[in-house]
Every structure is written in structure tokens, then in C-alpha cells.
Amino acid sequence: MIPDTPLRRLAAVLLRAAIRFAPCDAREWGHAALAELGHVEGNWAAVAWALGGAGVLAKQTLLALMMPWRSRQAVPAGNPLSREVKMHKASLIAGGACRAGVPAGISGVAVAVASGDLRSSGPVDTAVER
Amino acid sequence: MKALRLSPQTLEVLDRFAQRPAAWHYGYELSRQTGLKSGTLYPILMRLARHELLETRWEQTEEGVPPRHTYRLTPKGVELARSERVAARKPLATQKPAPAGGRA
């Protein structure tokens, strides 16, 4: 396991934010990328790894929003109504970012910021309980 | 379900798996071996898993370290990887000079 640095922490925050808003079926893959982050050699390589993973999740999120039949479990259990409002707002921001040509990783952050929550995803709504 | 598109990158990943079909592989290890970035590798792994060509599991390697996601081809995946490897070798085989069959 490689020691933690501010860049690695930033990479982890980015990936966790993307996981938080990803459809349920894609979250496991986000956690997979996050688990590998600690093994990626080089701080900038870790950021690039996280950006790639967040980009994949952002794409899955957008696909789930535009084609909900692809991912029936996009809205997690708990407080689905507030989640839906957040997701709608986030989709508008992310859609705008995509049209403006913003890279997928950055639009993933935009999704997180739009919903006003950058906390790490807890074990309750994640695919893997730690 | 959409048919699996076997891009050169997907074939590269399948080939890596086929080299050690019984072994479990980590995402970062596959990325290093194939030279694919996470943004390319994970969609491939996701597609392979969706088509039941890949099995996944979480593996606890060390205490206090998050478990890692590991991957292995299913028998269906091994079969596909083998057939694709054979198909990839075919053009090479046809390039070989034909044996001199003119001898009587």
C-alpha cells in the first residue's frame, strides 16, 4: 500500500463523489477503481486513474438518467424523492458540461458539486460494506 | 442485450486473461500489462462481466487495507478468448509459404 498524500486524497474524493451518484449497477466498479487507487504507483498516475474511473461512472450516470430502462436500480433506497431532485439537477449540470466539452472527470466533480454533497459514500448505499 | 464488440483493446484484455485463465487478476495489474487506462479498462471489464464472460470477487489482501476487486474468465470467457486467439493467429498461418507439393 502506497502512503497517502494530498494528491491521492484528492483522487479518492473525486472517485468517491462519482461513486455516490453512479447508478447502483456501476457502483461496484467505482469501488473497484477506488480499491486499486492505493496500489497505483505515482501520485499523478493515481489522479489520472481516479479521473478515468470517475469519467466511466459519470458516463454511466448520464446513461442511467437519459435511458433509465438501462438501469432500473438507479435510485437507491432511503430517501428516493430528494435523491431524484438532486439527480435531476446534477444531470443538467453534467449534460451542460458534456456539451461544453468539459472532460468527463471534471464533469463528474460538477455532478457532485451540483448536488451539494462531496462526502464520501457510506457503507449503507454502497455495493461493498467495509 | 447488445452483442459484445470485440475491439482491439477488448481482445488485448481477453488475451491477458487467457494467458493464465485460472488466475485472478487485479484491475491495476491488467492496466499495467495492457497499457490501458482505467477509463478504457473498466468499461471493457464491465461489458465482459455483463456478458458473463468474466467473474468477479472481492479479495481481502491485508488487514486494514480495502479489499480488492479481482477478475477471472468464466468457462464461456475462456472459450471465447481461445477462439479469438486462434482466429488472430489464422492470418499469420496463411502467410506461411505453402509446402512444396509439386514433388512427385
Short mmCIF file of all heavy atoms in Angstrom, two decimals, chain B residues 48-100:
data_model
loop_
_atom_site.label_atom_id
_atom_site.label_comp_id
_atom_site.label_asym_id
_atom_site.label_seq_id
_atom_site.Cartn_x
_atom_site.Cartn_y
_atom_site.Cartn_z
N LEU B 48 -17.55 -7.31 -20.24
CA LEU B 48 -17.25 -8.75 -20.16
C LEU B 48 -18.07 -9.41 -19.05
O LEU B 48 -18.59 -10.50 -19.22
CB LEU B 48 -15.76 -8.98 -19.93
CG LEU B 48 -14.82 -8.64 -21.10
CD1 LEU B 48 -13.36 -8.81 -20.68
CD2 LEU B 48 -15.10 -9.50 -22.32
N ALA B 49 -18.17 -8.72 -17.92
CA ALA B 49 -18.92 -9.27 -16.79
C ALA B 49 -20.41 -9.33 -17.12
O ALA B 49 -21.08 -10.30 -16.78
CB ALA B 49 -18.69 -8.41 -15.55
N ARG B 50 -20.91 -8.29 -17.81
CA ARG B 50 -22.34 -8.25 -18.19
C ARG B 50 -22.67 -9.42 -19.13
O ARG B 50 -23.77 -9.95 -19.09
CB ARG B 50 -22.67 -6.92 -18.84
CG ARG B 50 -24.11 -6.49 -18.67
CD ARG B 50 -24.39 -5.16 -19.33
NE ARG B 50 -23.60 -4.08 -18.78
CZ ARG B 50 -23.01 -3.14 -19.51
NH1 ARG B 50 -23.10 -3.15 -20.82
NH2 ARG B 50 -22.31 -2.18 -18.95
N HIS B 51 -21.73 -9.79 -19.95
CA HIS B 51 -21.95 -10.90 -20.88
C HIS B 51 -21.57 -12.25 -20.27
O HIS B 51 -21.46 -13.25 -20.99
CB HIS B 51 -21.16 -10.68 -22.18
CG HIS B 51 -21.80 -9.67 -23.07
ND1 HIS B 51 -21.62 -8.32 -22.90
CD2 HIS B 51 -22.64 -9.80 -24.11
CE1 HIS B 51 -22.31 -7.67 -23.83
NE2 HIS B 51 -22.93 -8.54 -24.57
N GLU B 52 -21.32 -12.25 -18.97
CA GLU B 52 -20.98 -13.47 -18.23
C GLU B 52 -19.73 -14.15 -18.77
O GLU B 52 -19.62 -15.38 -18.77
CB GLU B 52 -22.18 -14.43 -18.21
CG GLU B 52 -23.33 -13.86 -17.40
CD GLU B 52 -24.62 -14.63 -17.54
OE1 GLU B 52 -24.65 -15.61 -18.30
OE2 GLU B 52 -25.59 -14.25 -16.89
N LEU B 53 -18.80 -13.32 -19.23
CA LEU B 53 -17.52 -13.86 -19.70
C LEU B 53 -16.48 -13.72 -18.59
O LEU B 53 -15.40 -14.28 -18.68
CB LEU B 53 -17.05 -13.10 -20.95
CG LEU B 53 -17.98 -13.20 -22.16
CD1 LEU B 53 -17.56 -12.22 -23.23
CD2 LEU B 53 -17.97 -14.61 -22.72
N LEU B 54 -16.82 -12.92 -17.60
CA LEU B 54 -15.87 -12.60 -16.53
C LEU B 54 -16.56 -12.77 -15.19
O LEU B 54 -17.70 -12.34 -15.02
CB LEU B 54 -15.44 -11.14 -16.70
CG LEU B 54 -14.21 -10.67 -15.97
CD1 LEU B 54 -12.97 -11.31 -16.60
CD2 LEU B 54 -14.08 -9.16 -16.08
N GLU B 55 -15.88 -13.43 -14.26
CA GLU B 55 -16.41 -13.49 -12.90
C GLU B 55 -15.58 -12.57 -12.02
O GLU B 55 -14.38 -12.38 -12.26
CB GLU B 55 -16.48 -14.91 -12.37
CG GLU B 55 -15.22 -15.70 -12.42
CD GLU B 55 -15.43 -17.12 -11.91
OE1 GLU B 55 -16.15 -17.31 -10.93
OE2 GLU B 55 -14.84 -18.04 -12.50
N THR B 56 -16.24 -11.99 -11.05
CA THR B 56 -15.56 -11.03 -10.18
C THR B 56 -15.72 -11.45 -8.73
O THR B 56 -16.68 -12.15 -8.38
CB THR B 56 -16.17 -9.62 -10.35
OG1 THR B 56 -17.50 -9.64 -9.84
CG2 THR B 56 -16.20 -9.19 -11.80
N ARG B 57 -14.78 -11.03 -7.91
CA ARG B 57 -14.92 -11.26 -6.47
C ARG B 57 -14.09 -10.21 -5.73
O ARG B 57 -13.17 -9.62 -6.31
CB ARG B 57 -14.49 -12.68 -6.08
CG ARG B 57 -13.01 -12.90 -6.13
CD ARG B 57 -12.58 -14.20 -5.49
NE ARG B 57 -11.13 -14.23 -5.43
CZ ARG B 57 -10.41 -15.30 -5.20
NH1 ARG B 57 -11.01 -16.45 -5.01
NH2 ARG B 57 -9.10 -15.25 -5.15
N TRP B 58 -14.42 -10.01 -4.48
CA TRP B 58 -13.65 -9.08 -3.64
C TRP B 58 -12.68 -9.91 -2.83
O TRP B 58 -13.06 -10.92 -2.24
CB TRP B 58 -14.59 -8.29 -2.74
CG TRP B 58 -15.36 -7.26 -3.50
CD1 TRP B 58 -16.60 -7.43 -4.04
CD2 TRP B 58 -14.94 -5.95 -3.85
NE1 TRP B 58 -16.96 -6.29 -4.70
CE2 TRP B 58 -15.98 -5.36 -4.60
CE3 TRP B 58 -13.78 -5.20 -3.60
CZ2 TRP B 58 -15.90 -4.06 -5.10
CZ3 TRP B 58 -13.71 -3.91 -4.09
CH2 TRP B 58 -14.75 -3.36 -4.83
N GLU B 59 -11.45 -9.45 -2.78
CA GLU B 59 -10.42 -10.22 -2.09
C GLU B 59 -9.74 -9.34 -1.02
O GLU B 59 -9.24 -8.26 -1.35
CB GLU B 59 -9.38 -10.66 -3.11
CG GLU B 59 -8.31 -11.57 -2.57
CD GLU B 59 -7.28 -11.90 -3.64
OE1 GLU B 59 -7.60 -12.68 -4.55
OE2 GLU B 59 -6.17 -11.35 -3.56
N GLN B 60 -9.78 -9.83 0.19
CA GLN B 60 -9.11 -9.11 1.29
C GLN B 60 -7.65 -9.54 1.30
O GLN B 60 -7.35 -10.71 1.59
CB GLN B 60 -9.79 -9.44 2.62
CG GLN B 60 -9.24 -8.68 3.81
CD GLN B 60 -9.67 -7.22 3.83
OE1 GLN B 60 -10.86 -6.92 3.81
NE2 GLN B 60 -8.70 -6.31 3.87
N THR B 61 -6.76 -8.63 0.93
CA THR B 61 -5.34 -9.00 0.82
C THR B 61 -4.61 -8.81 2.15
O THR B 61 -3.91 -9.70 2.60
CB THR B 61 -4.63 -8.20 -0.28
OG1 THR B 61 -4.97 -6.82 -0.12
CG2 THR B 61 -5.05 -8.67 -1.66
N GLU B 62 -4.75 -7.64 2.74
CA GLU B 62 -4.09 -7.38 4.01
C GLU B 62 -5.10 -6.80 4.99
O GLU B 62 -6.09 -6.19 4.57
CB GLU B 62 -2.99 -6.31 3.83
CG GLU B 62 -1.87 -6.71 2.90
CD GLU B 62 -1.03 -5.49 2.51
OE1 GLU B 62 -0.56 -4.79 3.41
OE2 GLU B 62 -0.89 -5.25 1.30
N GLU B 63 -4.79 -6.93 6.26
CA GLU B 63 -5.65 -6.37 7.30
C GLU B 63 -5.53 -4.84 7.26
O GLU B 63 -4.44 -4.30 7.14
CB GLU B 63 -5.20 -6.91 8.67
CG GLU B 63 -6.25 -6.80 9.75
CD GLU B 63 -7.54 -7.55 9.45
OE1 GLU B 63 -7.48 -8.70 8.96
OE2 GLU B 63 -8.62 -6.98 9.73
N GLY B 64 -6.66 -4.15 7.33
CA GLY B 64 -6.66 -2.68 7.34
C GLY B 64 -6.56 -2.06 5.96
O GLY B 64 -6.54 -0.85 5.83
N VAL B 65 -6.49 -2.88 4.95
CA VAL B 65 -6.43 -2.39 3.57
C VAL B 65 -7.75 -2.77 2.90
O VAL B 65 -8.23 -3.89 3.08
CB VAL B 65 -5.23 -3.03 2.82
CG1 VAL B 65 -5.23 -2.67 1.35
CG2 VAL B 65 -3.93 -2.61 3.47
N PRO B 66 -8.35 -1.82 2.13
CA PRO B 66 -9.62 -2.16 1.49
C PRO B 66 -9.50 -3.39 0.61
O PRO B 66 -8.45 -3.60 -0.01
CB PRO B 66 -9.93 -0.93 0.63
CG PRO B 66 -9.09 0.17 1.14
CD PRO B 66 -7.90 -0.46 1.77
N PRO B 67 -10.55 -4.21 0.56
CA PRO B 67 -10.49 -5.39 -0.32
C PRO B 67 -10.37 -4.97 -1.78
O PRO B 67 -10.82 -3.90 -2.17
CB PRO B 67 -11.82 -6.09 -0.07
CG PRO B 67 -12.71 -5.10 0.56
CD PRO B 67 -11.84 -4.09 1.23
N ARG B 68 -9.74 -5.83 -2.56
CA ARG B 68 -9.54 -5.52 -3.98
C ARG B 68 -10.47 -6.37 -4.83
O ARG B 68 -10.76 -7.51 -4.48
CB ARG B 68 -8.09 -5.77 -4.38
CG ARG B 68 -7.13 -4.84 -3.70
CD ARG B 68 -5.70 -5.16 -4.07
NE ARG B 68 -5.33 -4.62 -5.38
CZ ARG B 68 -4.11 -4.75 -5.90
NH1 ARG B 68 -3.17 -5.39 -5.24
NH2 ARG B 68 -3.84 -4.23 -7.08
N HIS B 69 -10.89 -5.76 -5.92
CA HIS B 69 -11.77 -6.45 -6.86
C HIS B 69 -10.89 -7.26 -7.79
O HIS B 69 -9.96 -6.71 -8.39
CB HIS B 69 -12.55 -5.39 -7.66
CG HIS B 69 -13.91 -5.83 -8.09
ND1 HIS B 69 -14.50 -5.35 -9.23
CD2 HIS B 69 -14.81 -6.66 -7.54
CE1 HIS B 69 -15.70 -5.88 -9.35
NE2 HIS B 69 -15.92 -6.68 -8.34
N THR B 70 -11.18 -8.53 -7.91
CA THR B 70 -10.36 -9.37 -8.79
C THR B 70 -11.24 -10.03 -9.85
O THR B 70 -12.45 -10.19 -9.66
CB THR B 70 -9.60 -10.45 -8.00
OG1 THR B 70 -10.55 -11.28 -7.34
CG2 THR B 70 -8.67 -9.86 -6.98
N TYR B 71 -10.60 -10.39 -10.94
CA TYR B 71 -11.34 -10.87 -12.11
C TYR B 71 -10.73 -12.15 -12.67
O TYR B 71 -9.51 -12.31 -12.66
CB TYR B 71 -11.33 -9.80 -13.21
CG TYR B 71 -11.59 -8.43 -12.67
CD1 TYR B 71 -10.54 -7.54 -12.44
CD2 TYR B 71 -12.88 -8.03 -12.35
CE1 TYR B 71 -10.77 -6.29 -11.90
CE2 TYR B 71 -13.12 -6.78 -11.81
CZ TYR B 71 -12.06 -5.91 -11.59
OH TYR B 71 -12.30 -4.69 -11.05
N ARG B 72 -11.61 -12.97 -13.20
CA ARG B 72 -11.18 -14.21 -13.84
C ARG B 72 -12.20 -14.56 -14.94
O ARG B 72 -13.38 -14.28 -14.79
CB ARG B 72 -11.15 -15.32 -12.80
CG ARG B 72 -10.60 -16.63 -13.29
CD ARG B 72 -10.42 -17.60 -12.17
NE ARG B 72 -11.70 -18.18 -11.73
CZ ARG B 72 -11.79 -19.20 -10.88
NH1 ARG B 72 -10.70 -19.72 -10.34
NH2 ARG B 72 -12.95 -19.67 -10.53
N LEU B 73 -11.73 -15.16 -16.01
CA LEU B 73 -12.65 -15.55 -17.08
C LEU B 73 -13.53 -16.71 -16.63
O LEU B 73 -13.06 -17.60 -15.91
CB LEU B 73 -11.88 -15.96 -18.33
CG LEU B 73 -11.20 -14.87 -19.15
CD1 LEU B 73 -10.49 -15.49 -20.34
CD2 LEU B 73 -12.17 -13.80 -19.63
N THR B 74 -14.77 -16.69 -17.05
CA THR B 74 -15.66 -17.83 -16.82
C THR B 74 -15.32 -18.86 -17.91
O THR B 74 -14.62 -18.53 -18.87
CB THR B 74 -17.14 -17.39 -16.98
OG1 THR B 74 -17.30 -16.89 -18.31
CG2 THR B 74 -17.54 -16.33 -15.98
N PRO B 75 -15.80 -20.09 -17.78
CA PRO B 75 -15.54 -21.07 -18.85
C PRO B 75 -15.96 -20.55 -20.23
O PRO B 75 -15.26 -20.75 -21.21
CB PRO B 75 -16.37 -22.28 -18.43
CG PRO B 75 -16.47 -22.17 -16.94
CD PRO B 75 -16.50 -20.72 -16.64
N LYS B 76 -17.08 -19.80 -20.26
CA LYS B 76 -17.56 -19.21 -21.53
C LYS B 76 -16.53 -18.19 -22.04
O LYS B 76 -16.25 -18.11 -23.24
CB LYS B 76 -18.91 -18.52 -21.23
CG LYS B 76 -19.71 -18.12 -22.42
CD LYS B 76 -21.04 -17.52 -21.91
CE LYS B 76 -21.62 -16.52 -22.86
NZ LYS B 76 -22.75 -15.78 -22.28
N GLY B 77 -15.97 -17.42 -21.10
CA GLY B 77 -14.97 -16.41 -21.44
C GLY B 77 -13.68 -17.04 -21.94
O GLY B 77 -13.06 -16.55 -22.90
N VAL B 78 -13.28 -18.14 -21.28
CA VAL B 78 -12.05 -18.85 -21.69
C VAL B 78 -12.23 -19.37 -23.11
O VAL B 78 -11.33 -19.24 -23.95
CB VAL B 78 -11.74 -20.03 -20.72
CG1 VAL B 78 -10.59 -20.87 -21.24
CG2 VAL B 78 -11.42 -19.50 -19.33
N GLU B 79 -13.41 -19.90 -23.37
CA GLU B 79 -13.70 -20.45 -24.71
C GLU B 79 -13.61 -19.34 -25.76
O GLU B 79 -12.98 -19.52 -26.81
CB GLU B 79 -15.12 -21.03 -24.69
CG GLU B 79 -15.41 -22.00 -25.80
CD GLU B 79 -16.83 -22.53 -25.70
OE1 GLU B 79 -17.21 -23.03 -24.62
OE2 GLU B 79 -17.55 -22.40 -26.68
N LEU B 80 -14.21 -18.19 -25.44
CA LEU B 80 -14.18 -17.06 -26.39
C LEU B 80 -12.75 -16.57 -26.60
O LEU B 80 -12.31 -16.35 -27.73
CB LEU B 80 -15.05 -15.91 -25.88
CG LEU B 80 -15.02 -14.65 -26.74
CD1 LEU B 80 -15.84 -14.84 -28.00
CD2 LEU B 80 -15.51 -13.43 -25.99
N ALA B 81 -12.01 -16.44 -25.49
CA ALA B 81 -10.63 -15.96 -25.59
C ALA B 81 -9.79 -16.91 -26.43
O ALA B 81 -9.00 -16.46 -27.27
CB ALA B 81 -10.03 -15.83 -24.18
N ARG B 82 -10.00 -18.20 -26.26
CA ARG B 82 -9.24 -19.20 -27.03
C ARG B 82 -9.60 -19.11 -28.51
O ARG B 82 -8.72 -19.12 -29.36
CB ARG B 82 -9.51 -20.60 -26.50
CG ARG B 82 -8.72 -20.83 -25.24
CD ARG B 82 -8.63 -22.29 -24.86
NE ARG B 82 -7.89 -22.40 -23.61
CZ ARG B 82 -8.25 -23.15 -22.61
NH1 ARG B 82 -9.32 -23.90 -22.68
NH2 ARG B 82 -7.53 -23.20 -21.51
N SER B 83 -10.90 -19.02 -28.78
CA SER B 83 -11.33 -18.96 -30.19
C SER B 83 -10.81 -17.68 -30.85
O SER B 83 -10.42 -17.71 -32.02
CB SER B 83 -12.85 -19.06 -30.30
OG SER B 83 -13.44 -17.93 -29.72
N GLU B 84 -10.78 -16.57 -30.09
CA GLU B 84 -10.28 -15.32 -30.66
C GLU B 84 -8.78 -15.38 -30.88
O GLU B 84 -8.27 -14.80 -31.83
CB GLU B 84 -10.64 -14.14 -29.74
CG GLU B 84 -12.11 -13.79 -29.76
CD GLU B 84 -12.65 -13.45 -31.14
OE1 GLU B 84 -11.91 -12.82 -31.93
OE2 GLU B 84 -13.79 -13.82 -31.45
N ARG B 85 -8.09 -16.08 -29.99
CA ARG B 85 -6.63 -16.24 -30.16
C ARG B 85 -6.34 -17.05 -31.42
O ARG B 85 -5.46 -16.72 -32.18
CB ARG B 85 -6.03 -16.97 -28.95
CG ARG B 85 -5.76 -16.06 -27.79
CD ARG B 85 -5.04 -16.79 -26.72
NE ARG B 85 -3.72 -16.20 -26.52
CZ ARG B 85 -2.83 -16.67 -25.69
NH1 ARG B 85 -3.07 -17.75 -25.00
NH2 ARG B 85 -1.67 -16.10 -25.54
N VAL B 86 -7.13 -18.11 -31.59
CA VAL B 86 -6.96 -18.95 -32.78
C VAL B 86 -7.25 -18.13 -34.03
O VAL B 86 -6.49 -18.13 -34.99
CB VAL B 86 -7.89 -20.19 -32.69
CG1 VAL B 86 -7.93 -20.93 -34.02
CG2 VAL B 86 -7.42 -21.12 -31.58
N ALA B 87 -8.34 -17.33 -33.97
CA ALA B 87 -8.73 -16.51 -35.11
C ALA B 87 -7.64 -15.47 -35.41
O ALA B 87 -7.36 -15.19 -36.58
CB ALA B 87 -10.05 -15.81 -34.82
N ALA B 88 -7.03 -14.94 -34.36
CA ALA B 88 -5.99 -13.93 -34.55
C ALA B 88 -4.74 -14.54 -35.19
O ALA B 88 -4.00 -13.86 -35.89
CB ALA B 88 -5.63 -13.29 -33.22
N ARG B 89 -4.51 -15.83 -34.95
CA ARG B 89 -3.32 -16.49 -35.50
C ARG B 89 -3.51 -16.92 -36.95
O ARG B 89 -2.56 -17.14 -37.65
CB ARG B 89 -2.98 -17.73 -34.66
CG ARG B 89 -2.24 -17.32 -33.41
CD ARG B 89 -1.78 -18.56 -32.70
NE ARG B 89 -1.41 -18.21 -31.35
CZ ARG B 89 -1.69 -18.94 -30.30
NH1 ARG B 89 -2.35 -20.06 -30.44
NH2 ARG B 89 -1.32 -18.58 -29.11
N LYS B 90 -4.77 -17.06 -37.36
CA LYS B 90 -5.05 -17.57 -38.70
C LYS B 90 -4.36 -16.79 -39.82
O LYS B 90 -3.72 -17.39 -40.66
CB LYS B 90 -6.57 -17.62 -38.93
CG LYS B 90 -7.13 -19.00 -38.62
CD LYS B 90 -8.59 -19.06 -38.93
CE LYS B 90 -9.15 -20.38 -38.44
NZ LYS B 90 -10.60 -20.35 -38.37
N PRO B 91 -4.45 -15.41 -39.79
CA PRO B 91 -3.80 -14.70 -40.89
C PRO B 91 -2.30 -14.98 -40.97
O PRO B 91 -1.75 -15.09 -42.05
CB PRO B 91 -4.04 -13.23 -40.53
CG PRO B 91 -5.20 -13.24 -39.62
CD PRO B 91 -5.13 -14.52 -38.88
N LEU B 92 -1.66 -15.16 -39.79
CA LEU B 92 -0.23 -15.47 -39.77
C LEU B 92 0.02 -16.83 -40.45
O LEU B 92 0.94 -16.98 -41.22
CB LEU B 92 0.28 -15.52 -38.33
CG LEU B 92 0.46 -14.18 -37.65
CD1 LEU B 92 0.82 -14.37 -36.20
CD2 LEU B 92 1.53 -13.36 -38.35
N ALA B 93 -0.84 -17.77 -40.14
CA ALA B 93 -0.69 -19.11 -40.69
C ALA B 93 -0.79 -19.10 -42.21
O ALA B 93 -0.07 -19.82 -42.90
CB ALA B 93 -1.75 -20.04 -40.10
N THR B 94 -1.69 -18.22 -42.73
CA THR B 94 -1.87 -18.19 -44.18
C THR B 94 -0.69 -17.53 -44.88
O THR B 94 -0.49 -17.72 -46.06
CB THR B 94 -3.17 -17.45 -44.56
OG1 THR B 94 -3.12 -16.16 -43.95
CG2 THR B 94 -4.40 -18.20 -44.14
N GLN B 95 0.09 -16.73 -44.07
CA GLN B 95 1.24 -16.07 -44.68
C GLN B 95 2.42 -17.02 -44.90
O GLN B 95 3.33 -16.72 -45.63
CB GLN B 95 1.69 -14.92 -43.78
CG GLN B 95 0.81 -13.68 -43.92
CD GLN B 95 1.08 -12.67 -42.86
OE1 GLN B 95 2.12 -12.74 -42.20
NE2 GLN B 95 0.17 -11.75 -42.65
N LYS B 96 2.37 -18.17 -44.20
CA LYS B 96 3.47 -19.12 -44.34
C LYS B 96 3.53 -19.64 -45.78
O LYS B 96 2.49 -19.88 -46.40
CB LYS B 96 3.26 -20.32 -43.39
CG LYS B 96 3.63 -20.01 -41.97
CD LYS B 96 3.41 -21.25 -41.14
CE LYS B 96 3.60 -20.96 -39.68
NZ LYS B 96 3.20 -22.08 -38.85
N PRO B 97 4.72 -19.83 -46.29
CA PRO B 97 4.78 -20.35 -47.66
C PRO B 97 4.23 -21.76 -47.73
O PRO B 97 4.42 -22.57 -46.82
CB PRO B 97 6.29 -20.35 -47.96
CG PRO B 97 6.98 -20.28 -46.63
CD PRO B 97 6.04 -19.60 -45.70
N ALA B 98 3.51 -21.98 -48.75
CA ALA B 98 2.87 -23.29 -48.93
C ALA B 98 3.95 -24.36 -49.15
O ALA B 98 4.97 -24.09 -49.80
CB ALA B 98 1.93 -23.25 -50.14
N PRO B 99 3.77 -25.52 -48.54
CA PRO B 99 4.77 -26.58 -48.73
C PRO B 99 4.87 -26.97 -50.20
O PRO B 99 3.86 -26.97 -50.92
CB PRO B 99 4.27 -27.73 -47.87
CG PRO B 99 2.82 -27.45 -47.64
CD PRO B 99 2.65 -25.99 -47.70
N ALA B 100 6.07 -27.24 -50.56
CA ALA B 100 6.26 -27.59 -51.97
C ALA B 100 5.59 -28.92 -52.24
O ALA B 100 6.06 -29.99 -51.83
CB ALA B 100 7.75 -27.68 -52.28
#
